[in-house]
Amino acid sequence: MTTRRSFIKSAGVAGVAAASSFAAPAVHAQSTIKWRLQTYAGPALAEHVIKPAIDSFNKIARDEMQIELYTSDALVPTGELFRAMQKGTIDAVQSDDDSMASPTEVTVFGGYFPFASRYSLDVPVLFNQYGLNEIWDSEYSKLGVKHISAGAWDPCHFATKDPINSLEDLKGKRVFTFPTAGRFMSQFGVVPVTLPWEDIEVAVQTGELDGIAWSGITEDYTVGWADVTNYFLTNNISGAWAGSFFANMDRWNELPDHLKELVKVTFDSSHYYRQWWYWGGEASLRVNGTKMKLTTIPDAEWDQVEKAATIFWDEIAAESETKKKVVDIFKQYNADMQKAGRPYRYN
């Protein structure tokens, strides 16, 4: 027989258990998602081109996710960034396709593809309105990499120890530059040199390099190259460096949708930061900078370089259907800008 006392006792235990199940659900511990992202940029440059966006992401994501930022060559050499990300050794990358040696059909267009852009705003318009996003997404998805977004950096200019006032002055100059830019400019006598990013300043000082064609004047001042070069050539190879954020596809797919969105938004803020930081910096340092003298190759002579670029485009387009598709987009875009006139194009 069940006594009144034992009934009350058992009922009480059941009641406590029921109350616990409703009032205090079990809490499952969830560890913070951690990504390691390596940028192409050295420490001084990373302070502007990536760190503000990473700081913002980490502040908002808090204990849900944190991104650890590593600067140029910190974990792997820049030329091995793609493979390391593809394998999952690192989770994400900020670089241009060319520098990280992506094995894709679009790699040649990363960094400074000669005269593909006139201004920095050309790059996001080409990706977001002229179809480059879809091409990049397709190319990288095949290889297990997520192309998150592309943006613009600074224009490409020569910073040199000796003055450049004509195409003749470029002949024999040993210059640190991007693979495709070097391939293009070699027809004018430039000797492209590949070195680790952090060795460039010393290489100019020791005479191993005669100059640098890796950036605009803002970076020359920011990273210390303006301290070892004497002249800045105002003619540029391209109006803006095109670079992107990438991630290992498996790591990207593991993220919940709200964190994917946060990654996109904060990385877009990095693209926006660079738009005004470079645009204002390039003009200000040309006007107010004291470390380098400005030189210019006359327009009539520099026109030879611009005409050579159209031939170079056709050579690249002949290499594959995908490359032809990208070159056709460049041609259509630049034709549209030319027809649009001022302020899109002035000549």
Side-chain angles (χ1 to χ4, degrees), residues 26-37:
V27 176
H28 301 285
Q30 182 176 345
S31 59
T32 301
I33 298 169
K34 290 187 178 180
W35 272 16
R36 298 196 301 174
L37 183 153

Side-chain angles (χ1 to χ4, degrees), residues 25 177 189 290 294 306 338:
T177 189
T290 59
L294 305 184
E306 297 204 20
Q338 199 70 36

Side-chain angles (χ1 to χ4, degrees), residues 94-109:
Q94 181 199 41
S95 178
D96 69 281
D97 318 73
D98 209 15
S99 296
M100 68 176 188
S102 300
T104 73
E105 290 294 314
V106 298
T107 296
V108 69
F109 303 108

Side-chain angles (χ1 to χ4, degrees), residues 49-225:
V49 301
I50 179 63
K51 191 174 182 295
I54 298 301
D55 289 345
S56 179
F57 178 90
N58 289 340
K59 186 175 182 180
I60 299 169
R62 303 177 69 178
D63 58 356
E64 279 196 82
M65 180 175 173
Q66 293 289 289
I67 299 176
E68 298 172 353
L69 176 62
Y70 295 86
T71 54
S72 179
D73 303 318
L75 297 177
V76 298
T78 296
E80 298 175 16
L81 278 176
F82 178 85
R83 294 299 185 190
M85 173 177 50
Q86 186 184 42
K87 293 176 181 177
T89 305
I90 54 179
D91 306 298
V93 165
Q94 181 199 41
S95 178
D96 69 281
D97 318 73
D98 209 15
S99 296
M100 68 176 188
S102 300
T104 73
E105 290 294 314
V106 298
T107 296
V108 69
F109 303 108
Y112 293 116
F113 190 67
F115 300 100
S117 62
R118 180 74 61 92
Y119 307 117
S120 58
L121 275 175
D122 291 338
V123 174
V125 174
L126 280 161
F127 274 87
N128 294 301
Q129 295 184 1
Y130 275 71
L132 293 193
N133 265 336
E134 289 74 15
I135 297 173
W136 260 247
D137 180 71
S138 174
E139 285 296 308
Y140 281 97
S141 294
K142 296 173 187 175
L143 301 174
V145 168
K146 170 66 178 176
H147 177 257
I148 298 172
S149 63
W153 274 249
D154 48 342
C156 184
H157 294 262
F158 284 86
T160 55
K161 296 176 74 173
D162 298 323
I164 304 296
N165 294 298
S166 68
L167 291 180
E168 185 67 26
D169 292 335
L170 288 173
K171 291 182 178 179
K173 293 292 188 292
R174 294 159 298 176
V175 176
F176 171 66
T177 189
F178 291 84
T180 301
R183 174 181 166 185
F184 171 68
M185 289 303 298
S186 63
Q187 65 186 290
F188 298 99
V190 173
V191 180
V193 178
T194 301
L195 290 171
W197 189 91
E198 65 272 14
D199 295 342
I200 304 309
E201 186 172 344
V202 173
V204 174
Q205 290 175 302
T206 60
E208 185 177 357
L209 287 175
D210 298 306
I212 303 159
W214 202 82
S215 69
I217 198 169
T218 304
E219 286 191 17
D220 291 333
Y221 273 77
T222 302
V223 305
W225 293 338

Side-chain angles (χ1 to χ4, degrees), residues 323-343:
K323 290 177 181 177
K324 182 179 185 305
K325 187 184 294 186
V326 175
V327 169
D328 285 346
I329 288 174
F330 285 150
K331 288 181 176 180
Q332 183 62 58
Y333 176 76
N334 279 279
D336 289 348
M337 295 300 103
Q338 199 70 36
K339 290 177 183 177
R342 297 171 184 265

